[in-house]
Amino acid sequence: MSLAAAPLVRDWLGVEGDRAVIRTGKVDFGQRITTALLRIACEELTLPPDRIRVAPVRTGAAPDEGITSGSNSVEQSGHALRCATATAREAAAALAAQELGLDPARLTLADGVFAAPGGANRIDLLPLIARLNPALAVNASAPASPRRAHDAPLAPRGLRAMVEGRYAFLQDLDMPGMWHARVVRPPHALARLKSLDPEAVTAVEETGQRVIRDGSFLAVAGPAEWPVLRASLRLARGCDWDLGEGLPEGSPFDRLDTDPAISLPVAPGGKPEKGSLPPPLDSFTHRLRVERPNTLHGSLGPSAALTVWEEDVLRITTHSQGIYPLRDSIADSLGLDPDTVEITHHPAAGCYGHNGADDAAFEAALVARALPGTPILLKWAREDEHAWEPAAPAMAIDLAARVKGGQITGWSGEARGDTHRGRPRPGPDRAGPQRLLANRFRIDPMAPYSGQPNMNRHGGLHRNLDPIYDFASRRLVKHLVPDGPIRSSALRCLGAVANVWAIESLVDQIAGETLQDPIAFRLAHLDDPRAITVLEGLRDSLGPAPEGRGIAYAQYKNAQTRCAIAVDLTVTDHAELRLDRIAIVADAGRIVDEDGLRAQLEGGALQGASWALYEEVRWDRDGMLTRDWDSYPVIRFDNIPEIAITLIDRPEDPSVGAGEASPPPTVAAIANAVHAATGLRLTRMPFTPDALQKAALEA
Amino acid sequence: MGAGPALVSLTLNINGTDRVVDSDPDTPLIFVLRDELGLKGAKLGCGLEQCGCCAVLADGEVALSCATPAAVFEGKEIVTIEGIGARAMGAAVQDAFVAASAAQCGYCTAGLVVAVTGLLETNPAPTRDETAEALTPHLCRCGSHPRVFRAVEIAAAATDR
């Protein structure tokens, strides 16, 4: 996909003096994709990292790589960059050989210099690359450089500055004449601004600040942040809201069975199809339903954007994961030519998916439009982020299995939930603008986006719905239940969390009931040799099993990183889960950045543990109830297990995405460990003490 | 400018230097640090003292700066992340965080470096449980906790005399 949109070598690689410049459309939010890309360029060009610059990710200059999501960056941008730099290296070698009158095969390349045998004749690589034909196309099968054994680990970019407090996040940016801005939010998404007390507006504007209103969208801007924050509170007191009927109450799961759904069969292999649903599985012996609530991205830094409305261009600095789709959606919202909107990515806190970044960018644009020429740094409050970011949709998974002779011979999986596709991107019916929060509140408000089914292989709801095991027959169905009570979108792993948790719970249950070892039982249903190596690696790495040990295995999208997990935990007298140890074995193909890979796997395991133990979005008719870190707790330092990671490097195999590999099997392994420790099969996240006690009473 | 709240003059000792600022007396310390003194290392994460991104040292104790008015810090020696490297322990902690690659997005990192420095200055050899207790007011959303524990061990070993 990346090479189709940006097919030329110069789309990815340039030369600037004695440095190479690499370009990517993928953005870094702590997952270290730029470190991985830098490593790839270092390997292919044989240059040290300080001779390679990663260009800013900006519309008009960066290749259009859509959205940084789905653990695709190493496979898309990484592959494209590897091929582009390898193509350039080969073409430069041909030029060098020509000049030296030698066969290119006789040249060696080291430290960015071609050398003839004996080393007498030497030519620098970069000036040759600068001379390459600008129309040179990337050769998608250019041979990758053999890895150099002496490659030292690359420190993550910016780490030294981070520990010294010098690293500037988007929230830290400053410009001459810059103003700060905050949005005054309604009590909930269905409320409308009936009236705004003129005295409140006067009180704020008398202090030199400005009130910006567009229908029910209300914001305040001024020269300093704290006074603006206070002004937003003053304005909030002057708002009279029409609360309408309030938010729909009731279980977010019950509606998944009763509200209108778009139901589609999913073929084995994970691709949804149009057509009639397969008949139910006959003579099943086991069934299980699990339910995952809405959960938050919960970025540690509330979303922000820096925007200036200049005479002929709207400049936006954002931490969005998709600068091109956002540009088109904002341009459409404001009736602008996309070429007059320039969007630059700048890092902020980790996002883990579609958080408030895009919405903040558009809101900053609305404020900047009212204050042309003044740079506007708009920041969300903590409460904004918790109550207004698009949450992961609630999901319910219904499984049934037929067991014969200790083997699973038939399988049925049905996934239900609202959309994961809340990101602003162009589409029919102005789908881009529909998915920007502020457009719901402006004059002539737009209706919220109504989810359309994702037809991609292992897309949203049906990501990892297809079991990785070779069950003889399987029927798979997805039910998109759109128009849910709260806005939903993409959160790390999408549907894979609920699907893997469900599958691995039922597999675990059947193994237990048929008195089979959980790893041996899984191995008996796998024929992928790499999966078998991963699971055997896990088995061999484990010490004697404590009471509360759970096992799980998954391969993300059944195509990316293979990941086996064992969780050891203890249930306290207060029914709290204490995480003791997590063992991870993973195969991500050819390892690009080993330390970055480990960081993704262990960070993912802890995020998965946090979802499993703590996280649930709650609301009532008056609005969101989870508005801060007390009402929406997440994992903290007091429950961090020891984590042991074993990596299986496959230098001859393609590198595959790893950022979302570990959370789903971690959730499943925790559930299985709880079952091992207590005999209780928990079927609704989070696994709180209340949930455990309730399950014990019902058992 | 029109009628805002009356400003008062505050003298704050920050990173060893007295700084005089005119401030609305309710202003939390972090806004004075970031917007009036240009010290943007402390991060605003919640404004509710729930996440620890804004930590500073006040008279050697870890203090959160996002909700408590700056006036409360008058008369105390405040050390921010920008000044932490001037302390032997702070520099060791910074090196240890780098050695352990103890950050992903890095938004929590400044607060954690301050908190670990405060911990090790009072307890040079904390147990894992003591470290966990001291850091539990701090959130990390990327899951770099195991590396932070490792950084604490590295810093403690490096400063063990």
Side-chain angles (χ1 to χ4, degrees):
Chain A
M1 155 208 173
S2 296
L3 284 176
L8 304 180
V9 168
R10 66 164 185 179
D11 292 330
W12 301 91
L13 175 67
V15 176
E16 206 174 61
D18 66 346
R19 292 205 298 177
V21 181
I22 57 174
R23 288 185 259 280
T24 175
K26 300 291 186 181
V27 302
D28 204 319
F29 35 81
Q31 88 283 33
R32 300 196 199 170
I33 183 60
T34 46
T35 307
L37 295 175
L38 197 57
R39 270 200 93 93
I40 287 171
C42 287
E43 285 181 9
E44 298 302 326
L45 303 175
T46 70
L47 290 173
D50 61 3
R51 288 190 60 200
I52 300 177
R53 183 171 77 86
V54 183
V57 185
R58 175 177 296 148
T59 54
D64 181 356
E65 296 195 87
I67 293 176
T68 306
S69 66
S71 298
N72 292 324
S73 297
V74 162
E75 292 174 47
Q76 294 174 356
S77 207
H79 174 73
L81 187 68
R82 192 179 287 285
C83 295
T85 45
T87 304
R89 185 193 63 225
E90 299 298 307
L95 283 180
Q98 206 174 6
E99 295 204 357
L100 299 173
L102 281 169
D103 176 353
R106 300 188 62 205
L107 292 178
T108 55
L109 175 65
D111 300 321
V113 180
F114 286 109
N121 289 316
R122 302 165 66 84
I123 300 188
D124 278 344
L125 168 68
L126 288 184
L128 294 173
I129 289 180
R131 281 169 44 200
L132 294 178
N133 181 348
L136 179 65
V138 176
N139 172 7
S141 49
S145 153
R147 233 175 326 178
R148 294 168 303 156
H150 62 270
D151 268 354
L154 267 185
R157 279 159 48 90
L159 181 56
R160 178 47 73 175
M162 285 170 184
V163 305
E164 293 177 357
R166 293 183 289 106
Y167 187 88
F169 293 90
L170 203 161
Q171 289 89 344
D172 304 325
L173 297 183
D174 205 350
M175 286 176 74
M178 186 182 86
W179 276 26
H180 293 262
R182 294 264 176 163
V183 177
V184 180
R185 306 278 171 191
H188 57 67
L190 302 178
R192 292 295 173 267
L193 187 54
K194 262 196 308 206
S195 66
L196 175 59
D197 178 5
E199 271 185 37
V201 175
T202 305
V204 167
E205 298 210 322
E206 269 181 352
T207 64
Q209 304 178 95
R210 282 284 305 276
V211 176
I212 294 98
R213 182 178 175 184
D214 181 350
S216 295
F217 172 79
L218 185 62
V220 56
E225 186 171 7
W226 173 248
V228 166
L229 201 157
R230 291 189 50 130
S232 71
L233 301 176
R234 174 69 188 89
L235 275 182
R237 290 199 303 276
C239 291
D240 184 14
W241 298 98
D242 175 355
L243 298 175
E245 292 177 6
L247 294 183
E249 292 188 283
S251 157
F253 305 111
D254 293 348
R255 70 168 288 272
L256 298 181
D257 296 318
T258 53
D259 281 9
I262 303 168
S263 299
L264 298 168
V266 177
K271 182 105 175 68
E273 294 172 334
K274 297 205 163 109
S276 53
L277 301 186
L281 183 69
D282 57 5
S283 64
F284 58 83
T285 53
H286 292 76
R287 63 192 309 171
L288 179 72
R289 176 181 171 104
V290 303
E291 295 171 337
R292 186 202 187 187
N294 299 94
T295 45
L296 297 179
H297 303 79
S299 287
L300 205 47
S303 293
L306 174 60
T307 300
V308 57
W309 191 287
E310 293 174 1
E311 217 160 276
D312 47 8
V313 61
L314 170 62
R315 286 186 213 284
I316 299 175
T317 306
T318 176
H319 52 107
S320 164
Q321 289 176 281
I323 54 170
Y324 285 99
L326 177 62
R327 177 192 66 175
D328 295 351
S329 300
I330 287 180
D332 187 359
S333 298
L334 298 175
L336 299 173
D337 178 342
D339 288 341
T340 64
V341 180
E342 181 196 82
I343 302 199
T344 305
H345 178 266
H346 191 95
C351 58
Y352 327 107
H354 175 206
N355 68 351
D358 301 86
D359 295 319
F362 181 49
E363 291 170 354
L366 291 175
V367 174
R369 187 174 60 162
L371 295 163
T374 301
I376 300 295
L377 179 59
L378 181 142
K379 290 183 190 170
W380 283 21
R382 167 50 45 204
E383 189 175 27
D384 294 337
E385 194 74 30
H386 266 69
W388 293 93
E389 65 142 291
M395 282 183 67
I397 313 297
D398 290 286
L399 300 181
R402 187 174 57 231
V403 178
K404 221 172 172 178
Q407 290 281 103
I408 296 171
T409 60
W411 186 269
S412 167
E414 303 198 13
R416 295 171 193 276
D418 200 346
T419 186
H420 292 83
R421 306 183 106 187
R423 293 182 195 275
R425 56 173 128 196
D429 304 322
R430 304 192 69 208
Q434 271 196 333
R435 288 178 280 192
L436 289 168
L437 180 63
N439 279 328
R440 291 201 201 181
F441 298 104
R442 297 169 64 201
I443 294 175
D444 299 328
M446 299 186 79
Y449 173 73
S450 182
Q452 295 300 310
N454 184 335
M455 302 302 284
N456 294 329
R457 191 180 170 279
H458 285 273
L461 287 171
H462 57 286
R463 181 160 296 173
N464 284 83
L465 172 64
D466 184 19
I468 192 69
Y469 304 105
D470 50 359
F471 304 147
S473 81
R474 55 185 79 186
R475 68 178 291 278
L476 308 168
V477 178
K478 71 179 285 186
H479 304 278
L480 174 67
V481 191
D483 311 322
I486 64 168
R487 188 165 70 126
S488 65
S489 193
L491 169 64
R492 193 178 195 174
C493 308
L494 281 62
V497 179
N499 284 316
V500 167
W501 168 36
I503 292 168
E504 291 297 297
S505 291
L506 188 53
V507 164
D508 198 73
Q509 188 171 323
I510 293 168
E513 285 178 17
T514 54
L515 304 177
Q516 298 183 69
D517 170 77
I519 292 181
F521 184 71
R522 285 171 172 83
L523 287 171
H525 289 87
L526 284 167
D527 52 16
D528 166 23
R530 288 170 67 178
I532 292 168
T533 304
V534 165
L535 265 168
E536 288 179 343
L538 182 72
R539 183 187 60 201
D540 298 343
S541 77
L542 294 175
E547 221 165 78
R549 171 172 291 167
I551 304 290
Y553 173 73
Q555 181 182 11
Y556 194 54
K557 302 183 201 171
N558 290 3
Q560 296 185 333
T561 295
R562 296 160 172 87
C563 186
I565 302 244
V567 169
D568 295 347
L569 57 74
T570 311
V571 183
T572 71
D573 294 343
H574 304 289
E576 293 163 336
L577 302 183
R578 301 289 313 166
L579 300 173
D580 300 319
R581 189 167 189 276
I582 299 181
I584 302 173
V585 180
D587 170 354
R590 169 175 167 140
I591 295 173
V592 176
D593 173 14
E594 180 180 331
D595 191 61
L597 175 58
R598 288 177 182 275
Q600 282 301 301
L601 292 168
E602 70 190 20
L606 290 173
Q607 189 158 40
S610 187
W611 296 332
L613 267 54
Y614 303 107
E615 298 188 32
E616 178 177 22
V617 175
R618 291 173 292 113
W619 65 90
D620 66 13
R621 57 173 294 152
D622 298 327
M624 305 308 290
L625 297 171
T626 42
R627 305 181 85 93
D628 58 30
W629 298 117
D630 279 349
S631 50
Y632 186 90
V634 299
I635 201 164
R636 287 181 181 265
F637 275 92
D638 59 1
N639 201 7
I640 302 299
E642 175 200 338
I643 299 184
I645 299 177
T646 307
L647 299 178
I648 297 168
D649 191 14
R650 301 271 183 190
E652 304 307 319
D653 287 298
S655 306
V656 291
E660 296 162 291
S662 64
T666 301
V667 170
I670 289 173
N672 291 341
V674 171
H675 183 262
T678 64
L680 301 172
R681 177 67 59 193
L682 296 185
T683 56
R684 182 177 290 182
M685 286 164 67
F687 310 148
T688 60
D690 281 354
L692 226 70
Q693 283 164 348
K694 187 161 165 273
L697 289 172
E698 287 168 358
Chain B
M1 290 284 277
L7 302 184
V8 297
S9 179
L10 297 177
T11 304
L12 297 170
N13 185 277
I14 295 169
N15 300 328
T17 306
D18 277 345
R19 309 288 296 264
V20 180
V21 292
D22 291 323
S23 173
D24 156 12
D26 291 342
T27 311
L29 176 63
I30 192 167
F31 292 100
V32 173
L33 293 175
R34 290 177 56 90
D35 298 336
E36 296 185 42
L37 301 175
L39 298 172
K40 299 200 178 196
K43 304 301 172 208
L44 187 61
C46 66
L48 304 161
E49 301 189 341
Q50 294 174 349
C51 76
C53 295
C54 62
V56 297
L57 295 182
D59 287 344
E61 304 261 329
V62 180
L64 301 182
S65 67
C66 70
T68 305
V72 173
F73 291 87
E74 263 198 315
K76 294 179 193 275
E77 289 182 9
I78 301 161
V79 178
T80 69
I81 185 68
E82 289 87 352
I84 209 91
R87 298 161 89 89
M89 184 60 77
V93 170
Q94 288 172 330
D95 290 345
F97 267 67
V98 172
S101 279
Q104 284 190 33
C105 80
Y107 204 82
C108 66
T109 306
L112 281 167
V113 167
V114 168
V116 170
T117 303
L119 167 67
L120 294 178
E121 284 183 347
T122 50
N123 179 359
T127 64
R128 188 182 157 98
D129 283 350
E130 287 168 341
T131 300
E133 189 185 339
L135 299 185
T136 288
H138 296 258
L139 289 178
C140 168
R141 196 64 175 141
C142 297
S144 64
H145 312 71
R147 288 152 183 260
V148 174
F149 278 113
R150 211 173 308 144
V152 173
E153 290 169 11
I154 293 170
T159 52
D160 182 23
R161 310 230 187 329

